[in-house]
Every structure is written in structure tokens, then in C-alpha cells.
Amino acid sequence: MVQSFPEASPMKWHQAHTTWFFETFVLRPFLPDYKPFRDEFRWLFNSYYNSLGEEAPEKQLRGSFSRPSLREVLAFRAHVDEAMEKLFAGHIHDDAARRVMLGLDHEQQHQELMLTDIKHAFFSNPLRPAYDANPLVGAGDVSPSEFMWHRFHDRVTEIGYPIDSTNCLDFCFDNETPRHKVYVEAFRIANRSVTCREYLEFMSDDVYARPEFWLSEGWEAVRKQGWRAPLYWERDAADSTGWRIFTLRGWHGLSALLDTPVCHVSFFEADAFARWRGCRLPTEAEWELAASGSAIHGNLLDTGRLHPALASADGLEQLFGDSWEWTASPYTGYPGYKPLPGALGEYNGKFMSGQMILRGGSCVTPAMHIRSTYRNFFPPATRWQFTGIRLAA
Ligand SMILES: [Fe+2]
């Protein structure tokens, strides 16, 4: 039931809430005679859907739910699993199937959040426990990719997911639609993510103390939060770089991770880094155009590494996995965007203000979950997700 800061959730809550999603949006409307596990759960494990009626508890109080017990939450889960089996045994309406797809993708999002929340909780614990006691495997004698630009000429292109609305098993989130035309000026995009070595140079150049590189809100965040390095970096005299990094596999000296992508930086830090290098962040249209020809292959959750890995091949690397890449694009609806009908319209649509788009997934994103059209979004000061930087110009 640990909740180390208000934006994170306890593991028990994630388990109950993903179960609640199926009970609320699939079983109650589509399984005749479904008996809810416990009536209060209808509002207790609601995250943010206001149109369901009853008010949900304050997010920051989730860590105070000592009851229901984990045993009861697991019984809730078993109850819902059993009812889902019943649903699958009969004829399934297309609308129910669409919601099952959404429920599965929702659960994958929470699987990623569980790992980022555990990482923060363990970092907040004075004992600094490791989620996995096996240390990160080094790169051996693999040499890291040189920084290179990939050039794209100007063009009209299409972005967004081309959903087949006649196929209820074709899935994307509503915010990836409609597919539409955009005009893209000629641009360059980096072959790989910014590395810890490059970020250390940015820190050594004292950029955290130089307001000229920062957006106004970013500079305010630097001063208020006292940012001097990415989240999970800590001074360590025992390492030749003077730093160590907390990972899901415990502490590692920065010297062993210098060529791996920097992660746990905010949009403001990504933006300041790009400006310091005389570059900028890619727009989401540029990112999607660059990624649209690439197979979904990379250091995603399924590799089991649980931390970004160095780039060592040719071509455009690390688009999928390693770290989410901040883009220069604010999170808004695409032209003609329509949220899903009913309460599920609150899934994505109502968050379209004050957040920035991230692309490509991270080392804790399930591989089945990501695609080139996928639009993640977080407020610009967010650092507890695996968020990194790719340069554009
Ligand atoms: Fe959720």
C-alpha cells in the first residue's frame, strides 16, 4: 500500500483499479445477471471518471487504503476473471469486444506505471531496496553508436492510426485518431537517444545554473525543486564520474552507464539540453514520420532489462523502448478528434491541456502495447517515468 508521492499509486490499488475497469465498463453493461463483487468498489477504485456519478476518493489518499486487504483485492480480481470467462463463453457484442481491448491496453499502461511507481517507492525508502537483485548486465566490448543525423525532406505526410472501424479487434486509443495530413518542413533527427555521457557534459557546463537555456516555467522548476541532475542520480565519490544511478536493479556507478540513454529528465530539461546543443526536440509529426518505417523492436519490458541500454547498431535506433522521448508538441486533439462516447470519453480527451507528447515507449512498456502512432502525455515537469531525449534540428 506504499504511495511515495501523490502522482504514484500503491500496487494494491493498481490491481484493484484495472479489475474495476473490467467490472465497470464490460461486466456491468454486457454480462446479464453479473453480481458486483462489492458495491463500494464502484467508487473506491474509480480513478477519474466523473460521469460515473459518485465521487472517487482523493488520489493522494490511495496509500491510506489499509482495507480492503490485498487478499480481498485478489479475491475481487478472481471474481472478475471468472465473470470474464463467462462472458467469453457466450456471444460477444462488438462493443463489448472493443471495451475488452481497451481494458487490456489500460492494464498494460498500469503494468508500466507499477514499475515506475515501485522504482520511486524504493528510491524513497531509506534502505533503497532493489526491485530485482540481479545487477544490470554490461555491454561487454560492444562499441556505442556514433551520433549521426538522419535527414528528411519536406513533404505532406499522414500521421495517426488508420483504424478499421469494421474490425472490433483493431485497436488504438481514441487520441491517435483521426489519421490526417500534416505538412513537415525538411528536418534532421538524431540516430539515437542522448546518452548519460552527453548529459554529464551539459551538467558540467553548469547549465542548471544558466537561465538563458531554460523556458520560464522550467527555470522556476529548477530553482524550486533544486534540480541539478536527472531524478535517481546521486553524488558518489567512489565512482570516477562522481555519480551513481538508482535503477530497478539497485545502484550502479555512472561510469558503467555513460553510453546508455539518459532518462528520468523532465520536458524542461530535455528542452534545455536541446537548446544548449543548438538543436531542438522533434515535433510528434517528425517523430512519427521517422519511426513509421521502423519495426517495433527494441529494449521494451519483454527484454527484462528494466533499464535503457546503449545503442550499437546502424540506422535509426532506440525509437521503441529504452526511454520515452519528449517531443516539442503539446497534447491536443487531432483535427476532427472525437472522444469515445459516454464515461470512456474521459479516458484521454479531458487531459488535453498543459501536457506534452512523448513517443516510442520505454524499457518498462510491454512490447505489444506500443506503436509508431502511440501518443503518451505527461505534464512537462514529470520525471518519474522513463523519459529521455532525442535531438532534432
Ligand atoms: Fe487507469
Side-chain angles (χ1 to χ4, degrees):
M1 58 183 279
V2 174
Q3 181 174 23
S4 54
F5 73 119
E7 280 73 34
S9 301
M11 293 308 105
K12 194 169 70 174
W13 186 89
H14 283 294
Q15 288 175 289
H17 163 73
T18 50
T19 307
W20 166 92
F21 193 94
F22 285 103
E23 178 169 270
T24 305
F25 294 116
V26 181
L27 295 173
R28 283 177 186 260
F30 290 103
L31 184 64
D33 304 326
Y34 174 70
K35 300 262 177 311
F37 180 77
R38 196 174 145 181
D39 257 339
E40 303 98 309
F41 285 11
R42 187 183 168 94
W43 52 265
L44 188 65
F45 293 118
N46 178 1
S47 49
Y48 54 64
Y49 299 86
N50 294 322
S51 44
L52 291 176
E54 307 101 326
E55 211 159 303
E58 280 274 334
K59 182 168 185 177
Q60 59 187 3
L61 295 181
R62 287 172 187 169
S64 70
F65 297 178
S66 56
R67 297 290 182 276
S69 64
L70 175 62
R71 185 177 302 190
E72 192 174 352
V73 165
L74 294 178
F76 174 38
R77 207 165 164 82
H79 174 88
V80 165
D81 278 348
E82 198 180 306
M84 290 298 295
E85 296 279 3
K86 245 183 236 165
L87 181 84
F88 291 141
H91 172 77
I92 302 179
H93 192 277
D94 276 8
D95 289 345
R98 284 194 178 89
R99 288 185 177 194
V100 172
M101 295 295 286
L102 180 60
L104 293 169
D105 277 76
H106 172 250
E107 187 150 327
Q108 288 174 331
Q109 290 182 315
H110 279 275
Q111 285 168 0
E112 171 157 5
L113 288 169
M114 286 168 88
L115 285 163
T116 55
D117 292 357
I118 287 172
K119 186 170 181 178
H120 192 275
F122 282 4
F123 184 70
S124 308
N125 179 323
L127 289 174
R128 305 289 181 81
Y131 170 73
D132 188 323
N134 299 309
L136 283 170
V137 178
D141 44 14
V142 174
S143 50
S145 306
E146 291 292 320
F147 179 91
M148 275 175 48
W149 289 115
H150 282 246
R151 285 161 202 279
F152 289 79
H153 65 78
D154 60 325
R155 71 189 78 192
V156 174
T157 185
E158 289 196 354
I159 64 165
Y161 188 84
I163 187 95
D164 174 3
S165 52
T166 63
N167 175 6
C168 61
L169 300 182
D170 191 23
F171 178 82
C172 72
F173 285 104
D174 59 3
N175 62 11
E176 295 168 64
T177 65
R179 188 166 170 85
H180 62 284
K181 291 187 187 66
V182 288
Y183 176 67
V184 182
E185 293 281 356
F187 69 100
R188 293 174 286 167
I189 192 162
N191 63 322
R192 56 158 174 78
S193 306
V194 168
T195 63
C196 291
R197 185 189 301 279
E198 291 162 335
Y199 202 82
L200 192 59
E201 289 164 19
F202 165 85
M203 288 161 53
S204 306
D205 203 21
D206 216 17
V207 182
Y208 276 106
R210 296 166 66 184
E212 67 267 31
F213 293 105
W214 298 84
L215 291 167
S216 170
E217 247 186 279
W219 181 243
E220 208 175 304
V222 166
R223 294 204 310 169
K224 275 203 184 126
Q225 316 285 337
W227 290 344
R228 284 291 175 272
L231 180 61
Y232 303 131
W233 286 36
E234 197 173 86
R235 297 249 179 224
D236 180 17
D239 191 84
S240 58
T241 62
W243 293 92
R244 62 177 177 168
I245 300 182
F246 186 72
T247 75
L248 282 165
R249 298 178 180 281
W251 286 112
H252 286 75
L254 175 59
S255 53
L257 296 174
L258 279 171
D259 295 312
T260 65
V262 67
C263 60
H264 300 294
V265 291
S266 63
F267 166 80
F268 295 129
E269 290 161 299
D271 175 81
F273 180 92
R275 191 163 302 130
W276 171 74
R277 280 279 297 261
C279 305
R280 61 175 175 81
L281 300 177
T283 65
E284 64 171 325
E286 290 168 341
W287 194 98
E288 190 168 322
L289 172 62
S292 58
S294 299
I296 299 171
H297 171 77
N299 176 24
L300 291 143
L301 176 61
D302 311 58
T303 66
R305 180 174 164 87
L306 304 174
H307 199 77
L310 66 73
S312 60
D314 297 329
L316 266 170
E317 287 186 84
Q318 298 172 322
L319 286 163
F320 298 107
D322 294 301
S323 64
W324 288 99
E325 296 172 11
W326 286 109
T327 72
S329 301
Y331 181 41
T332 57
Y334 282 162
Y337 167 68
K338 281 193 196 73
L340 294 173
L344 284 171
E346 294 184 54
Y347 197 113
N348 285 312
K350 70 178 182 182
F351 299 112
M352 291 175 173
S353 74
Q355 312 211 46
M356 300 304 288
I357 292 283
L358 300 109
R359 294 299 196 113
S362 80
C363 56
V364 291
T365 306
M368 269 180 71
H369 187 68
I370 195 72
R371 56 197 157 261
S372 63
T373 58
Y374 194 103
R375 306 174 80 203
N376 196 0
F377 51 90
F378 275 101
T382 304
R383 306 214 299 171
W384 100 106
Q385 295 301 302
F386 284 83
T387 47
I389 314 168
R390 183 183 298 269
L391 294 174

